[in-house]
């Protein structure tokens, strides 16, 4: 009998976190760019009359290194979703500078209030939230946003390098990984979903800490050209694995949310093993990658 691997959900539940991030307290959230973070409300707003072309994920035409779809007979990775929602943090990234963001569903599902954190004790309140019913994804809307990032036009290949950016344990970090295949992931608890995901082997972390990755959930996974290739949603510390959403799930979430999302917005950049940590720091400085705070009660 085959045993189903179990991995911990990438979610940090922090008691009293509202005292750390919200106004009214002298404490400050730690961050390397705390004095330089711009307010998203200051970003330029663009005319809504321009119709944007919807992004569609590339089709895999097969060939060397192509990824096989997971079989329904394969055991699914099991992820526990706590039944009771607590104050927590995660990561989001910008889809459109008008104020559209993407994160993981488990980061914001069940929250009474969600903030995109813009600096010490400062944040922009999320006004609308779309929850993907069959994937660990959510689309958020705020008033004012940050520079967006591009989506890949290339199919994923086994062995390619990926880069994950976000706030594990509330601290800025970057992870370099290698794609190893496709899997199925089963979320069980507050909601129950089975979805396709992409599995990565964890290679290098900056800072060099091999603790849990809780808090990086919802952060972008990018290729060497600085394009989005997935959303980080789960990980296994014991097995050294990171899991990202399928590109088809991302496209469906954007389309079904009805939110305006740029196609190919933002500047590209080359990422490699020498500069990926600096690349991530730039994304955080521009608020393209931001910390998300969930308040369990109003």
């Amino acid at each position: 009998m085959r045993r189903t691997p179990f991995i911990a959900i990438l979610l940090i539940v922090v008691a009293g976190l509202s005292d750390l991030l919200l106004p009214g307290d002298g404490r400050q959230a730690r961050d390397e760019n705390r004095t330089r973070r711009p307010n998203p409300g200051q970003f330029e707003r663009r005319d809504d009359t321009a119709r944007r072309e919807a992004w569609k994920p590339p089709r895999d035409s097969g060939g060397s290194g192509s990824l096989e779809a997971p079989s329904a007979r394969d055991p699914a990775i099991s992820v526990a979703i706590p039944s009771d929602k607590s104050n927590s943090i995660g990561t989001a990234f910008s889809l459109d500078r008008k104020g559209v963001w993407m994160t993981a569903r488990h980061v914001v599902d069940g929250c009474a209030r969600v903030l995109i954190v813009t600096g010490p004790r400062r944040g922009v309140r999320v006004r609308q939230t779309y929850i993907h019913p069959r994937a660990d994804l959510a689309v958020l809307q705020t008033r004012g946003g940050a520079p967006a990032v591009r989506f890949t036009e290339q199919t994923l290949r086994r062995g390619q390098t990926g880069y994950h950016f976000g706030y594990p344990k509330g601290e800025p970090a970057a992870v370099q990984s290698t794609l190893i295949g496709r899997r199925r992931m089963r979320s069980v608890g507050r909601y129950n979903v089975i979805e396709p995901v992409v599995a990565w082997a964890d290679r290098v972390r900056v800072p060099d800490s091999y603790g849990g990755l809780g808090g990086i959930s919802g952060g972008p996974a990018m290729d060497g050209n600085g394009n989005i290739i997935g959303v980080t949603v789960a990980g296994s510390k014991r097995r050294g694995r990171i899991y990202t959403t399928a590109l088809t799930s991302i496209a469906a979430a954007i389309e079904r949310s009805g939110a305006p999302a740029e196609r190919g917005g933002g500047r590209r950049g080359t990422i490699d093993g020498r500069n990926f940590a600096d690349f991530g720091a730039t994304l955080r400085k521009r608020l393209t990658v931001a910390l998300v705070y969930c308040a369990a009660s109003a």
Side-chain angles (χ1 to χ4, degrees), residues 159-182:
Q160 79 174 79
T161 301
Y163 304 93
H164 310 255
F165 305 107
Y167 289 89
K169 298 185 178 180
E171 299 293 333
V175 181
Q176 180 181 356
S177 65
T178 301
L179 196 159
I180 57 176
R182 288 178 176 165

mmCIF file with all atom_site columns, all heavy atoms in Angstrom, residues 159-182:
data_model
loop_
_atom_site.group_PDB
_atom_site.id
_atom_site.type_symbol
_atom_site.label_atom_id
_atom_site.label_alt_id
_atom_site.label_comp_id
_atom_site.label_asym_id
_atom_site.label_entity_id
_atom_site.label_seq_id
_atom_site.pdbx_PDB_ins_code
_atom_site.Cartn_x
_atom_site.Cartn_y
_atom_site.Cartn_z
_atom_site.occupancy
_atom_site.B_iso_or_equiv
_atom_site.pdbx_formal_charge
_atom_site.auth_seq_id
_atom_site.auth_comp_id
_atom_site.auth_asym_id
_atom_site.auth_atom_id
_atom_site.pdbx_PDB_model_num
ATOM 1   N N   . GLY A 1 159 ? 14.019 20.124 -15.287 1.00 0.00 ? 159 GLY A N   1
ATOM 2   C CA  . GLY A 1 159 ? 15.423 20.499 -15.158 1.00 0.00 ? 159 GLY A CA  1
ATOM 3   C C   . GLY A 1 159 ? 15.678 21.990 -15.224 1.00 0.00 ? 159 GLY A C   1
ATOM 4   O O   . GLY A 1 159 ? 16.795 22.431 -14.925 1.00 0.00 ? 159 GLY A O   1
ATOM 5   N N   . GLN A 1 160 ? 14.670 22.789 -15.595 1.00 0.00 ? 160 GLN A N   1
ATOM 6   C CA  . GLN A 1 160 ? 14.897 24.222 -15.668 1.00 0.00 ? 160 GLN A CA  1
ATOM 7   C C   . GLN A 1 160 ? 14.953 24.822 -14.276 1.00 0.00 ? 160 GLN A C   1
ATOM 8   O O   . GLN A 1 160 ? 14.456 24.253 -13.302 1.00 0.00 ? 160 GLN A O   1
ATOM 9   C CB  . GLN A 1 160 ? 13.823 24.913 -16.512 1.00 0.00 ? 160 GLN A CB  1
ATOM 10  C CG  . GLN A 1 160 ? 12.494 25.152 -15.826 1.00 0.00 ? 160 GLN A CG  1
ATOM 11  C CD  . GLN A 1 160 ? 11.540 25.961 -16.696 1.00 0.00 ? 160 GLN A CD  1
ATOM 12  O OE1 . GLN A 1 160 ? 10.920 25.426 -17.610 1.00 0.00 ? 160 GLN A OE1 1
ATOM 13  N NE2 . GLN A 1 160 ? 11.436 27.252 -16.416 1.00 0.00 ? 160 GLN A NE2 1
ATOM 14  N N   . THR A 1 161 ? 15.576 25.979 -14.182 1.00 0.00 ? 161 THR A N   1
ATOM 15  C CA  . THR A 1 161 ? 15.756 26.648 -12.900 1.00 0.00 ? 161 THR A CA  1
ATOM 16  C C   . THR A 1 161 ? 14.623 27.626 -12.646 1.00 0.00 ? 161 THR A C   1
ATOM 17  O O   . THR A 1 161 ? 14.175 28.328 -13.552 1.00 0.00 ? 161 THR A O   1
ATOM 18  C CB  . THR A 1 161 ? 17.096 27.399 -12.868 1.00 0.00 ? 161 THR A CB  1
ATOM 19  O OG1 . THR A 1 161 ? 18.159 26.464 -13.089 1.00 0.00 ? 161 THR A OG1 1
ATOM 20  C CG2 . THR A 1 161 ? 17.315 28.086 -11.522 1.00 0.00 ? 161 THR A CG2 1
ATOM 21  N N   . GLY A 1 162 ? 14.163 27.656 -11.407 1.00 0.00 ? 162 GLY A N   1
ATOM 22  C CA  . GLY A 1 162 ? 13.134 28.602 -10.998 1.00 0.00 ? 162 GLY A CA  1
ATOM 23  C C   . GLY A 1 162 ? 13.606 29.420 -9.809  1.00 0.00 ? 162 GLY A C   1
ATOM 24  O O   . GLY A 1 162 ? 14.526 29.014 -9.075  1.00 0.00 ? 162 GLY A O   1
ATOM 25  N N   . TYR A 1 163 ? 12.982 30.579 -9.614  1.00 0.00 ? 163 TYR A N   1
ATOM 26  C CA  . TYR A 1 163 ? 13.341 31.477 -8.522  1.00 0.00 ? 163 TYR A CA  1
ATOM 27  C C   . TYR A 1 163 ? 12.065 31.912 -7.814  1.00 0.00 ? 163 TYR A C   1
ATOM 28  O O   . TYR A 1 163 ? 11.123 32.377 -8.455  1.00 0.00 ? 163 TYR A O   1
ATOM 29  C CB  . TYR A 1 163 ? 14.106 32.690 -9.051  1.00 0.00 ? 163 TYR A CB  1
ATOM 30  C CG  . TYR A 1 163 ? 15.336 32.312 -9.842  1.00 0.00 ? 163 TYR A CG  1
ATOM 31  C CD1 . TYR A 1 163 ? 15.280 32.175 -11.231 1.00 0.00 ? 163 TYR A CD1 1
ATOM 32  C CD2 . TYR A 1 163 ? 16.544 32.053 -9.197  1.00 0.00 ? 163 TYR A CD2 1
ATOM 33  C CE1 . TYR A 1 163 ? 16.398 31.801 -11.957 1.00 0.00 ? 163 TYR A CE1 1
ATOM 34  C CE2 . TYR A 1 163 ? 17.674 31.672 -9.916  1.00 0.00 ? 163 TYR A CE2 1
ATOM 35  C CZ  . TYR A 1 163 ? 17.590 31.556 -11.302 1.00 0.00 ? 163 TYR A CZ  1
ATOM 36  O OH  . TYR A 1 163 ? 18.700 31.177 -12.024 1.00 0.00 ? 163 TYR A OH  1
ATOM 37  N N   . HIS A 1 164 ? 12.044 31.763 -6.502  1.00 0.00 ? 164 HIS A N   1
ATOM 38  C CA  . HIS A 1 164 ? 10.862 32.038 -5.695  1.00 0.00 ? 164 HIS A CA  1
ATOM 39  C C   . HIS A 1 164 ? 11.168 33.208 -4.766  1.00 0.00 ? 164 HIS A C   1
ATOM 40  O O   . HIS A 1 164 ? 12.213 33.223 -4.093  1.00 0.00 ? 164 HIS A O   1
ATOM 41  C CB  . HIS A 1 164 ? 10.482 30.811 -4.867  1.00 0.00 ? 164 HIS A CB  1
ATOM 42  C CG  . HIS A 1 164 ? 10.408 29.545 -5.666  1.00 0.00 ? 164 HIS A CG  1
ATOM 43  N ND1 . HIS A 1 164 ? 9.211  28.958 -6.017  1.00 0.00 ? 164 HIS A ND1 1
ATOM 44  C CD2 . HIS A 1 164 ? 11.389 28.743 -6.175  1.00 0.00 ? 164 HIS A CD2 1
ATOM 45  C CE1 . HIS A 1 164 ? 9.457  27.860 -6.715  1.00 0.00 ? 164 HIS A CE1 1
ATOM 46  N NE2 . HIS A 1 164 ? 10.774 27.714 -6.823  1.00 0.00 ? 164 HIS A NE2 1
ATOM 47  N N   . PHE A 1 165 ? 10.248 34.172 -4.710  1.00 0.00 ? 165 PHE A N   1
ATOM 48  C CA  . PHE A 1 165 ? 10.464 35.372 -3.906  1.00 0.00 ? 165 PHE A CA  1
ATOM 49  C C   . PHE A 1 165 ? 9.295  35.583 -2.948  1.00 0.00 ? 165 PHE A C   1
ATOM 50  O O   . PHE A 1 165 ? 8.139  35.339 -3.311  1.00 0.00 ? 165 PHE A O   1
ATOM 51  C CB  . PHE A 1 165 ? 10.622 36.593 -4.809  1.00 0.00 ? 165 PHE A CB  1
ATOM 52  C CG  . PHE A 1 165 ? 11.712 36.441 -5.835  1.00 0.00 ? 165 PHE A CG  1
ATOM 53  C CD1 . PHE A 1 165 ? 11.408 36.245 -7.174  1.00 0.00 ? 165 PHE A CD1 1
ATOM 54  C CD2 . PHE A 1 165 ? 13.046 36.474 -5.452  1.00 0.00 ? 165 PHE A CD2 1
ATOM 55  C CE1 . PHE A 1 165 ? 12.411 36.089 -8.119  1.00 0.00 ? 165 PHE A CE1 1
ATOM 56  C CE2 . PHE A 1 165 ? 14.060 36.319 -6.393  1.00 0.00 ? 165 PHE A CE2 1
ATOM 57  C CZ  . PHE A 1 165 ? 13.745 36.136 -7.726  1.00 0.00 ? 165 PHE A CZ  1
ATOM 58  N N   . GLY A 1 166 ? 9.592  36.071 -1.752  1.00 0.00 ? 166 GLY A N   1
ATOM 59  C CA  . GLY A 1 166 ? 8.522  36.323 -0.801  1.00 0.00 ? 166 GLY A CA  1
ATOM 60  C C   . GLY A 1 166 ? 9.043  36.580 0.585   1.00 0.00 ? 166 GLY A C   1
ATOM 61  O O   . GLY A 1 166 ? 10.174 37.025 0.785   1.00 0.00 ? 166 GLY A O   1
ATOM 62  N N   . TYR A 1 167 ? 8.179  36.268 1.563   1.00 0.00 ? 167 TYR A N   1
ATOM 63  C CA  . TYR A 1 167 ? 8.445  36.595 2.964   1.00 0.00 ? 167 TYR A CA  1
ATOM 64  C C   . TYR A 1 167 ? 8.268  35.376 3.865   1.00 0.00 ? 167 TYR A C   1
ATOM 65  O O   . TYR A 1 167 ? 7.362  35.341 4.691   1.00 0.00 ? 167 TYR A O   1
ATOM 66  C CB  . TYR A 1 167 ? 7.523  37.719 3.421   1.00 0.00 ? 167 TYR A CB  1
ATOM 67  C CG  . TYR A 1 167 ? 7.862  39.064 2.827   1.00 0.00 ? 167 TYR A CG  1
ATOM 68  C CD1 . TYR A 1 167 ? 7.310  39.460 1.612   1.00 0.00 ? 167 TYR A CD1 1
ATOM 69  C CD2 . TYR A 1 167 ? 8.728  39.930 3.487   1.00 0.00 ? 167 TYR A CD2 1
ATOM 70  C CE1 . TYR A 1 167 ? 7.615  40.696 1.066   1.00 0.00 ? 167 TYR A CE1 1
ATOM 71  C CE2 . TYR A 1 167 ? 9.032  41.167 2.952   1.00 0.00 ? 167 TYR A CE2 1
ATOM 72  C CZ  . TYR A 1 167 ? 8.480  41.540 1.736   1.00 0.00 ? 167 TYR A CZ  1
ATOM 73  O OH  . TYR A 1 167 ? 8.786  42.768 1.206   1.00 0.00 ? 167 TYR A OH  1
ATOM 74  N N   . PRO A 1 168 ? 9.118  34.353 3.739   1.00 0.00 ? 168 PRO A N   1
ATOM 75  C CA  . PRO A 1 168 ? 9.010  33.236 4.686   1.00 0.00 ? 168 PRO A CA  1
ATOM 76  C C   . PRO A 1 168 ? 9.278  33.711 6.105   1.00 0.00 ? 168 PRO A C   1
ATOM 77  O O   . PRO A 1 168 ? 10.246 34.437 6.358   1.00 0.00 ? 168 PRO A O   1
ATOM 78  C CB  . PRO A 1 168 ? 10.085 32.260 4.194   1.00 0.00 ? 168 PRO A CB  1
ATOM 79  C CG  . PRO A 1 168 ? 11.030 33.088 3.399   1.00 0.00 ? 168 PRO A CG  1
ATOM 80  C CD  . PRO A 1 168 ? 10.215 34.181 2.792   1.00 0.00 ? 168 PRO A CD  1
ATOM 81  N N   . LYS A 1 169 ? 8.382  33.346 7.026   1.00 0.00 ? 169 LYS A N   1
ATOM 82  C CA  . LYS A 1 169 ? 8.454  33.779 8.420   1.00 0.00 ? 169 LYS A CA  1
ATOM 83  C C   . LYS A 1 169 ? 8.454  35.303 8.543   1.00 0.00 ? 169 LYS A C   1
ATOM 84  O O   . LYS A 1 169 ? 8.948  35.858 9.518   1.00 0.00 ? 169 LYS A O   1
ATOM 85  C CB  . LYS A 1 169 ? 9.684  33.183 9.102   1.00 0.00 ? 169 LYS A CB  1
ATOM 86  C CG  . LYS A 1 169 ? 9.676  31.665 9.147   1.00 0.00 ? 169 LYS A CG  1
ATOM 87  C CD  . LYS A 1 169 ? 10.853 31.121 9.928   1.00 0.00 ? 169 LYS A CD  1
ATOM 88  C CE  . LYS A 1 169 ? 10.790 29.600 9.998   1.00 0.00 ? 169 LYS A CE  1
ATOM 89  N NZ  . LYS A 1 169 ? 11.926 29.023 10.746  1.00 0.00 ? 169 LYS A NZ  1
ATOM 90  N N   . GLY A 1 170 ? 7.892  35.976 7.546   1.00 0.00 ? 170 GLY A N   1
ATOM 91  C CA  . GLY A 1 170 ? 7.797  37.419 7.586   1.00 0.00 ? 170 GLY A CA  1
ATOM 92  C C   . GLY A 1 170 ? 9.061  38.150 7.187   1.00 0.00 ? 170 GLY A C   1
ATOM 93  O O   . GLY A 1 170 ? 9.094  39.381 7.204   1.00 0.00 ? 170 GLY A O   1
ATOM 94  N N   . GLU A 1 171 ? 10.105 37.413 6.803   1.00 0.00 ? 171 GLU A N   1
ATOM 95  C CA  . GLU A 1 171 ? 11.374 38.026 6.433   1.00 0.00 ? 171 GLU A CA  1
ATOM 96  C C   . GLU A 1 171 ? 11.615 37.895 4.927   1.00 0.00 ? 171 GLU A C   1
ATOM 97  O O   . GLU A 1 171 ? 11.276 36.887 4.320   1.00 0.00 ? 171 GLU A O   1
ATOM 98  C CB  . GLU A 1 171 ? 12.530 37.348 7.178   1.00 0.00 ? 171 GLU A CB  1
ATOM 99  C CG  . GLU A 1 171 ? 12.446 37.466 8.689   1.00 0.00 ? 171 GLU A CG  1
ATOM 100 C CD  . GLU A 1 171 ? 12.620 38.895 9.159   1.00 0.00 ? 171 GLU A CD  1
ATOM 101 O OE1 . GLU A 1 171 ? 13.278 39.680 8.452   1.00 0.00 ? 171 GLU A OE1 1
ATOM 102 O OE2 . GLU A 1 171 ? 12.096 39.235 10.238  1.00 0.00 ? 171 GLU A OE2 1
ATOM 103 N N   . PRO A 1 172 ? 12.218 38.919 4.280   1.00 0.00 ? 172 PRO A N   1
ATOM 104 C CA  . PRO A 1 172 ? 12.497 38.835 2.854   1.00 0.00 ? 172 PRO A CA  1
ATOM 105 C C   . PRO A 1 172 ? 13.478 37.714 2.542   1.00 0.00 ? 172 PRO A C   1
ATOM 106 O O   . PRO A 1 172 ? 14.477 37.541 3.236   1.00 0.00 ? 172 PRO A O   1
ATOM 107 C CB  . PRO A 1 172 ? 13.097 40.200 2.511   1.00 0.00 ? 172 PRO A CB  1
ATOM 108 C CG  . PRO A 1 172 ? 13.307 40.926 3.778   1.00 0.00 ? 172 PRO A CG  1
ATOM 109 C CD  . PRO A 1 172 ? 12.660 40.164 4.897   1.00 0.00 ? 172 PRO A CD  1
ATOM 110 N N   . ALA A 1 173 ? 13.175 36.940 1.494   1.00 0.00 ? 173 ALA A N   1
ATOM 111 C CA  . ALA A 1 173 ? 14.045 35.827 1.133   1.00 0.00 ? 173 ALA A CA  1
ATOM 112 C C   . ALA A 1 173 ? 13.837 35.465 -0.336  1.00 0.00 ? 173 ALA A C   1
ATOM 113 O O   . ALA A 1 173 ? 12.833 35.832 -0.958  1.00 0.00 ? 173 ALA A O   1
ATOM 114 C CB  . ALA A 1 173 ? 13.782 34.615 2.027   1.00 0.00 ? 173 ALA A CB  1
ATOM 115 N N   . ALA A 1 174 ? 14.807 34.730 -0.868  1.00 0.00 ? 174 ALA A N   1
ATOM 116 C CA  . ALA A 1 174 ? 14.748 34.235 -2.247  1.00 0.00 ? 174 ALA A CA  1
ATOM 117 C C   . ALA A 1 174 ? 15.232 32.793 -2.263  1.00 0.00 ? 174 ALA A C   1
ATOM 118 O O   . ALA A 1 174 ? 16.124 32.421 -1.496  1.00 0.00 ? 174 ALA A O   1
ATOM 119 C CB  . ALA A 1 174 ? 15.613 35.102 -3.162  1.00 0.00 ? 174 ALA A CB  1
ATOM 120 N N   . VAL A 1 175 ? 14.630 31.981 -3.130  1.00 0.00 ? 175 VAL A N   1
ATOM 121 C CA  . VAL A 1 175 ? 14.975 30.569 -3.221  1.00 0.00 ? 175 VAL A CA  1
ATOM 122 C C   . VAL A 1 175 ? 15.220 30.202 -4.677  1.00 0.00 ? 175 VAL A C   1
ATOM 123 O O   . VAL A 1 175 ? 14.459 30.597 -5.561  1.00 0.00 ? 175 VAL A O   1
ATOM 124 C CB  . VAL A 1 175 ? 13.852 29.667 -2.655  1.00 0.00 ? 175 VAL A CB  1
ATOM 125 C CG1 . VAL A 1 175 ? 14.256 28.197 -2.734  1.00 0.00 ? 175 VAL A CG1 1
ATOM 126 C CG2 . VAL A 1 175 ? 13.517 30.058 -1.225  1.00 0.00 ? 175 VAL A CG2 1
ATOM 127 N N   . GLN A 1 176 ? 16.291 29.476 -4.924  1.00 0.00 ? 176 GLN A N   1
ATOM 128 C CA  . GLN A 1 176 ? 16.572 28.932 -6.253  1.00 0.00 ? 176 GLN A CA  1
ATOM 129 C C   . GLN A 1 176 ? 16.222 27.450 -6.245  1.00 0.00 ? 176 GLN A C   1
ATOM 130 O O   . GLN A 1 176 ? 16.525 26.741 -5.288  1.00 0.00 ? 176 GLN A O   1
ATOM 131 C CB  . GLN A 1 176 ? 18.044 29.112 -6.613  1.00 0.00 ? 176 GLN A CB  1
ATOM 132 C CG  . GLN A 1 176 ? 18.417 28.576 -7.993  1.00 0.00 ? 176 GLN A CG  1
ATOM 133 C CD  . GLN A 1 176 ? 19.902 28.750 -8.289  1.00 0.00 ? 176 GLN A CD  1
ATOM 134 O OE1 . GLN A 1 176 ? 20.641 29.332 -7.506  1.00 0.00 ? 176 GLN A OE1 1
ATOM 135 N NE2 . GLN A 1 176 ? 20.341 28.257 -9.421  1.00 0.00 ? 176 GLN A NE2 1
ATOM 136 N N   . SER A 1 177 ? 15.555 26.970 -7.308  1.00 0.00 ? 177 SER A N   1
ATOM 137 C CA  . SER A 1 177 ? 15.095 25.581 -7.339  1.00 0.00 ? 177 SER A CA  1
ATOM 138 C C   . SER A 1 177 ? 15.239 24.994 -8.742  1.00 0.00 ? 177 SER A C   1
ATOM 139 O O   . SER A 1 177 ? 15.525 25.712 -9.707  1.00 0.00 ? 177 SER A O   1
ATOM 140 C CB  . SER A 1 177 ? 13.631 25.505 -6.891  1.00 0.00 ? 177 SER A CB  1
ATOM 141 O OG  . SER A 1 177 ? 12.807 26.179 -7.835  1.00 0.00 ? 177 SER A OG  1
ATOM 142 N N   . THR A 1 178 ? 15.017 23.688 -8.829  1.00 0.00 ? 178 THR A N   1
ATOM 143 C CA  . THR A 1 178 ? 15.059 22.977 -10.107 1.00 0.00 ? 178 THR A CA  1
ATOM 144 C C   . THR A 1 178 ? 13.749 22.229 -10.308 1.00 0.00 ? 178 THR A C   1
ATOM 145 O O   . THR A 1 178 ? 13.293 21.519 -9.405  1.00 0.00 ? 178 THR A O   1
ATOM 146 C CB  . THR A 1 178 ? 16.224 21.974 -10.134 1.00 0.00 ? 178 THR A CB  1
ATOM 147 O OG1 . THR A 1 178 ? 17.458 22.672 -9.923  1.00 0.00 ? 178 THR A OG1 1
ATOM 148 C CG2 . THR A 1 178 ? 16.287 21.266 -11.483 1.00 0.00 ? 178 THR A CG2 1
ATOM 149 N N   . LEU A 1 179 ? 13.145 22.371 -11.485 1.00 0.00 ? 179 LEU A N   1
ATOM 150 C CA  . LEU A 1 179 ? 11.865 21.724 -11.770 1.00 0.00 ? 179 LEU A CA  1
ATOM 151 C C   . LEU A 1 179 ? 12.068 20.222 -11.932 1.00 0.00 ? 179 LEU A C   1
ATOM 152 O O   . LEU A 1 179 ? 12.936 19.781 -12.694 1.00 0.00 ? 179 LEU A O   1
ATOM 153 C CB  . LEU A 1 179 ? 11.257 22.322 -13.037 1.00 0.00 ? 179 LEU A CB  1
ATOM 154 C CG  . LEU A 1 179 ? 9.767  22.070 -13.295 1.00 0.00 ? 179 LEU A CG  1
ATOM 155 C CD1 . LEU A 1 179 ? 9.226  23.128 -14.265 1.00 0.00 ? 179 LEU A CD1 1
ATOM 156 C CD2 . LEU A 1 179 ? 9.519  20.699 -13.886 1.00 0.00 ? 179 LEU A CD2 1
ATOM 157 N N   . ILE A 1 180 ? 11.242 19.443 -11.228 1.00 0.00 ? 180 ILE A N   1
ATOM 158 C CA  . ILE A 1 180 ? 11.394 17.988 -11.284 1.00 0.00 ? 180 ILE A CA  1
ATOM 159 C C   . ILE A 1 180 ? 10.169 17.270 -11.834 1.00 0.00 ? 180 ILE A C   1
ATOM 160 O O   . ILE A 1 180 ? 10.246 16.092 -12.171 1.00 0.00 ? 180 ILE A O   1
ATOM 161 C CB  . ILE A 1 180 ? 11.757 17.412 -9.902  1.00 0.00 ? 180 ILE A CB  1
ATOM 162 C CG1 . ILE A 1 180 ? 10.712 17.790 -8.856  1.00 0.00 ? 180 ILE A CG1 1
ATOM 163 C CG2 . ILE A 1 180 ? 13.138 17.881 -9.477  1.00 0.00 ? 180 ILE A CG2 1
ATOM 164 C CD1 . ILE A 1 180 ? 10.973 17.175 -7.491  1.00 0.00 ? 180 ILE A CD1 1
ATOM 165 N N   . GLY A 1 181 ? 9.024  17.931 -11.937 1.00 0.00 ? 181 GLY A N   1
ATOM 166 C CA  . GLY A 1 181 ? 7.863  17.251 -12.513 1.00 0.00 ? 181 GLY A CA  1
ATOM 167 C C   . GLY A 1 181 ? 6.543  17.839 -12.063 1.00 0.00 ? 181 GLY A C   1
ATOM 168 O O   . GLY A 1 181 ? 6.498  18.819 -11.320 1.00 0.00 ? 181 GLY A O   1
ATOM 169 N N   . ARG A 1 182 ? 5.463  17.235 -12.551 1.00 0.00 ? 182 ARG A N   1
ATOM 170 C CA  . ARG A 1 182 ? 4.120  17.651 -12.169 1.00 0.00 ? 182 ARG A CA  1
ATOM 171 C C   . ARG A 1 182 ? 3.560  16.697 -11.126 1.00 0.00 ? 182 ARG A C   1
ATOM 172 O O   . ARG A 1 182 ? 3.895  15.524 -11.101 1.00 0.00 ? 182 ARG A O   1
ATOM 173 C CB  . ARG A 1 182 ? 3.203  17.673 -13.396 1.00 0.00 ? 182 ARG A CB  1
ATOM 174 C CG  . ARG A 1 182 ? 3.510  18.824 -14.340 1.00 0.00 ? 182 ARG A CG  1
ATOM 175 C CD  . ARG A 1 182 ? 2.608  18.773 -15.553 1.00 0.00 ? 182 ARG A CD  1
ATOM 176 N NE  . ARG A 1 182 ? 2.833  19.919 -16.430 1.00 0.00 ? 182 ARG A NE  1
ATOM 177 C CZ  . ARG A 1 182 ? 2.407  19.999 -17.674 1.00 0.00 ? 182 ARG A CZ  1
ATOM 178 N NH1 . ARG A 1 182 ? 1.725  19.003 -18.208 1.00 0.00 ? 182 ARG A NH1 1
ATOM 179 N NH2 . ARG A 1 182 ? 2.657  21.067 -18.405 1.00 0.00 ? 182 ARG A NH2 1
#
